[in-house]
Amino acid sequence: MSEEKGALTVPQEEQALAPRQSRVKAFFIKFLGRKTAVVAACFIILLVIIAFLAPVLQPFDPATPDYDAILSPPNAKHLFGTDEYGRDILSRLLAGSRLSLSVSLSSVTLGAGLGAVLGILAGYYGGWLDSLIMRTADVLLAFPDILLAIAIVAVIGPGLSNVIIAVAVFSIPSFARIMRSSTLTVKQSLYVEAARSIGATNRSIMWKHIFPGTVASIIVNFTMRIGTAILAAASLSFLGFGAKPTEPDWGAMLSTGRNYLGVAPHIVYFSGGIIFLTVLAFNLLGDGLRDTLDPKIQ
Amino acid sequence: MGRYFLKRVLGTIPLMLVISFIIFMFVHMIPGDPARIMAGKDATLEEINRTRQALGLDQPLMKQYLMYLDRMFHGDLGTSTTTGQTVAEMIGPRFLPTLTLAGCALVWSLIIGVLLGVLSAVMRGKWEDYIGMLIAISGISIPVFWLGLVLIQIFSVQLGWLPTGGLDNMQSYILPSFSLGIGVMAIMARFSRSSMLENMKEDYVRTARAKGQKESMVVLKHAFRNSLIEVVTVAGLQIGGLLAGSILVETVFTIPGMGRLLVDSIKFRDYPVIEAELLLFSLQFVVINLIVDLLYGVLNPKIRYES
């Protein structure tokens, strides 16, 4: 039985013995027992559906101004009120869900992909490559996410695509570290030894045998990093380095809304509130998944 | 002990050199000609070339890096392209407000965070635990800039109790330090809870209970005291996050600190200021990490001997 050293890897012998279906069933039974995580998962599923259906669900065009309804408080026509151009806040929040989710998902996916490759290479080959990758990751991890993101945006310039790059860069080290730790654990397993002894290539061992054993750790970190990515992207937009003020981005809406805090606080309340709830949902789901998938807690 | 200290202190020198090189390369990768920017919009080609020579930008990259290091060691951080002031003059008065703000945030977040964590651990599985952990996870998830704006709306605009921004008196620190510290409070609460739960399973806690000691004594004298080493270490590592968080909080509360200067300098593409600010922020993180490392060595002899 492979020993756990902080990584969330499913023992391979257990994997081999238990049929796939029963493992999935066991996971769901355990996960459904965690009420807060289930509520968070439902919220996220709802948000994803809303993001997909945003163009249909929007009661108004999020970009069209209505100069007769400037800074209207929430009312029957505009449930969440309007902004400084009379644009419907609810419609902009719905459109913003697409933007926020796509920015955070693409940046974390990019960071996870690069981090996973670097981590598996470091863990599998060891030596100077391991030292180089992990020392660089340590230097990057020593810096708070937001500072690193601001430094990157300062160099490559503002804009949503650059925010994705900045958030991806600061996501890389955490994935690299988790992947390396998982690789080191799985590398010692009997089935990897067996694959090596029958002449499997390094690439095949890494991707066909080691990688599947590390997926649990990656899923948990992925979920938790999405919350961080949404916060970082919103922070960059709030500071004026992300989305343009005209775009229906949650952070940018909050940034312009603060100029009207005294007369129309609803802009700030709703745009910040949705960021808070979304990040909270991803963090709760991440906690739930960790508790469910972590063999130490099992 | 001396060897451990020396090793740790010397270890920061190559780290700072690597960081300074990365920042130097970062700023050199920024599109645009710094000589043209510094010479001004109406400068002739001759003037631009003169500025390029004066800045040493016509030299090979490695030589430019060594010149940059030499200037840094002599305290010359360059001159701002927007104000014409030296960068040292601009940063000097902004250092203290940021540090004071981070200090205030650290104090309250530590006290409340640890109290919340200990209470949750002692009341494990009861409603107090759930509420404590709900506060903690909310604290991690809340955008600090939104919290700041909501607090301004309630306590400054509606109730008129506290100022909306600036740092004119001690009262002005209340809202910004609360906003800044909320994340650290949450991390400390979660960490001290898990650390307390681990320690409360230990044999010495069971022995203390078996000897008939009062539960409050068992919690405070045995479990909490042993959690303290880890709690202090984690708290130290949060200071870096507080300094970075000050970038957002200073923007919300219009505080003339280091964070706001960084944001303004990026907006105006004031490269000498960006370079100096990034270097100073990095230096602060490295020094804080070093202090935490050294403190950990003092508190935990095992680490010292292993190294």
Side-chain angles (χ1 to χ4, degrees):
Chain A
M1 182 87 59
S2 64
E3 257 188 34
E4 280 301 325
K5 285 173 188 167
L8 308 185
T9 47
V10 179
Q12 297 302 316
E13 287 77 359
E14 254 178 50
Q15 275 190 15
L17 291 171
R20 188 184 168 78
Q21 216 179 358
S22 66
R23 270 190 290 125
V24 171
K25 201 175 158 192
F27 165 79
F28 275 109
I29 289 169
K30 197 153 194 270
F31 181 75
L32 291 174
R34 294 172 201 280
K35 300 277 183 297
T36 46
V38 173
V39 172
C42 292
F43 180 85
I44 291 165
I45 292 167
L46 188 71
L47 198 69
V48 172
I49 295 170
I50 286 174
F52 268 110
L53 300 176
V56 185
L57 295 173
Q58 289 156 11
F60 295 91
D61 180 356
T64 307
D66 178 1
Y67 296 110
D68 293 329
I70 288 174
L71 300 174
S72 294
N75 54 55
K77 189 180 173 193
H78 300 283
L79 286 179
F80 286 10
T82 60
D83 67 3
E84 71 276 20
Y85 295 109
R87 294 173 299 195
D88 183 56
I89 303 266
L90 176 63
S91 305
R92 289 180 69 74
L93 288 179
L94 293 176
S97 62
R98 287 190 142 198
L99 219 56
S100 283
L101 285 182
S102 54
V103 166
S104 55
L105 274 173
S106 46
S107 55
V108 180
T109 307
L110 190 64
L114 290 171
V117 171
L118 290 171
I120 208 166
L121 288 174
Y124 188 76
Y125 288 109
W128 68 267
L129 187 68
D130 182 25
S131 301
L132 179 72
I133 293 172
M134 294 327 290
R135 289 299 78 77
T136 313
D138 284 347
V139 170
L140 289 176
L141 274 174
F143 292 92
D145 297 347
I146 187 69
L147 185 76
L148 205 57
I150 288 175
I152 294 165
V153 169
V155 176
I156 57 179
L160 270 183
S161 48
N162 290 346
V163 167
I164 294 175
I165 297 173
V167 177
V169 170
F170 79 61
S171 305
I172 293 172
S174 71
F175 283 102
R177 187 178 265 192
I178 288 170
M179 200 63 180
R180 175 183 175 270
S181 140
S182 303
T183 306
L184 286 177
T185 312
V186 180
K187 203 169 92 170
Q188 312 297 330
S189 311
L190 262 179
Y191 72 98
V192 172
E193 191 63 47
R196 199 176 285 127
S197 64
I198 57 166
T201 61
N202 283 336
R203 190 192 283 184
S204 152
I205 292 173
M206 276 191 276
W207 299 113
K208 280 190 187 157
H209 302 283
I210 293 180
F211 184 71
T214 59
V215 169
S217 330
I218 295 291
I219 290 174
V220 173
N221 194 43
F222 191 90
T223 316
M224 290 186 155
R225 293 306 295 191
I226 289 179
T228 315
I230 292 173
L231 263 187
S235 305
L236 288 174
S237 292
F238 177 76
L239 292 172
F241 304 141
K244 290 182 198 128
T246 48
E247 285 175 295
D249 176 86
W250 294 345
M253 284 171 72
L254 192 52
S255 181
T256 49
R258 79 182 161 133
N259 300 323
Y260 307 95
L261 192 62
V263 286
H266 61 271
I267 306 176
V268 165
Y269 288 157
F270 288 122
S271 50
I274 192 73
I275 301 174
F276 171 49
L277 287 177
T278 309
V279 177
L280 182 66
F282 276 106
N283 284 341
L284 285 171
L285 179 65
D287 271 1
L289 285 176
R290 188 198 51 209
D291 294 349
T292 313
L293 293 168
D294 192 339
K296 281 180 287 183
I297 294 171
Q298 281 167 9
Chain B
M1 186 75 181
R3 217 176 131 201
Y4 170 79
F5 268 60
L6 194 69
K7 202 177 157 188
R8 283 283 179 274
V9 173
L10 290 179
T12 58
I13 296 172
L15 182 66
M16 267 323 286
L17 284 174
V18 170
I19 291 169
S20 68
F21 185 70
I22 293 171
I23 292 171
F24 172 80
M25 288 308 292
F26 252 37
V27 176
H28 270 257
M29 277 157 60
I30 294 175
D33 182 0
R36 189 179 286 272
I37 296 165
M38 289 195 86
K41 273 184 191 165
D42 307 319
T44 61
L45 190 65
E46 206 174 306
E47 282 169 330
I48 294 170
N49 283 336
R50 256 206 310 275
T51 313
R52 186 171 288 118
Q53 274 178 355
L55 292 172
L57 294 170
D58 52 341
Q59 303 290 328
L61 206 59
M62 266 325 280
K63 195 170 176 193
Q64 281 188 48
Y65 173 64
L66 292 175
M67 283 161 62
Y68 160 77
L69 275 187
D70 184 58
R71 282 205 318 270
M72 290 290 143
F73 281 123
H74 289 91
D76 177 10
L77 299 171
T79 309
S80 160
T81 51
T82 46
T83 63
Q85 278 181 293
T86 64
V87 177
E89 270 174 4
M90 286 175 79
I91 290 177
R94 288 165 182 264
F95 219 74
L96 199 61
T98 302
L99 285 184
T100 314
L101 186 61
C104 291
L106 184 70
V107 171
W108 89 258
S109 58
L110 252 181
I111 296 170
I112 305 292
V114 172
L115 270 176
L116 204 63
V118 172
L119 189 75
S120 290
V122 175
M123 301 287 182
R124 190 186 186 186
K126 294 184 182 157
W127 65 269
E128 291 95 335
D129 182 22
Y130 290 120
I131 291 190
M133 286 306 102
L134 187 68
I135 294 172
I137 198 147
S138 303
I140 291 170
S141 313
I142 203 162
V144 287
F145 44 95
W146 181 60
L147 178 66
L149 290 171
V150 171
L151 291 176
I152 289 176
Q153 170 62 17
I154 297 170
F155 293 100
S156 308
V157 179
Q158 285 187 346
L159 299 171
W161 290 352
L162 295 164
T164 52
L167 283 181
D168 302 325
N169 47 43
M170 276 317 284
Q171 274 192 328
S172 355
Y173 280 96
I174 297 175
L175 295 184
S177 64
F178 183 79
S179 312
L180 185 58
I182 194 90
V184 176
M185 181 278 289
I187 292 171
M188 292 316 300
R190 278 163 70 106
F191 186 80
S192 23
R193 178 183 181 268
S194 62
S195 173
M196 280 291 288
L197 286 177
E198 290 265 313
N199 280 312
M200 279 164 80
K201 278 188 222 153
E202 295 291 335
D203 288 344
Y204 56 80
V205 170
R206 197 178 305 132
T207 312
R209 278 202 184 113
K211 278 163 69 183
Q213 266 196 347
K214 275 204 293 192
E215 187 60 22
S216 56
M217 285 295 281
V218 174
V219 170
L220 292 174
K221 208 177 159 191
H222 297 278
F224 181 64
R225 242 172 108 174
N226 279 290
S227 298
L228 217 54
I229 296 175
E230 292 163 22
V231 168
V232 166
T233 315
V234 174
L237 294 171
Q238 301 310 314
I239 302 172
L242 283 177
L243 289 168
S246 69
I247 297 170
L248 290 159
V249 172
E250 285 173 9
T251 305
V252 172
F253 290 93
T254 54
I255 293 167
M258 297 256 296
R260 204 168 143 221
L261 182 65
L262 179 65
V263 173
D264 290 342
S265 60
I266 293 173
K267 280 184 180 158
F268 292 114
R269 301 224 140 218
D270 195 341
Y271 300 126
V273 181
I274 298 175
E275 202 169 32
E277 280 258 332
L278 289 178
L279 194 72
L280 281 175
F281 265 110
S282 314
L283 186 67
Q284 285 175 3
F285 299 137
V286 170
V287 169
I288 289 161
N289 282 347
L290 174 71
I291 294 170
V292 172
D293 246 15
L294 296 179
L295 259 179
Y296 200 49
V298 172
L299 293 171
N300 191 349
K302 209 175 137 193
I303 298 285
R304 249 176 8 233
Y305 296 133
E306 274 173 6
S307 74

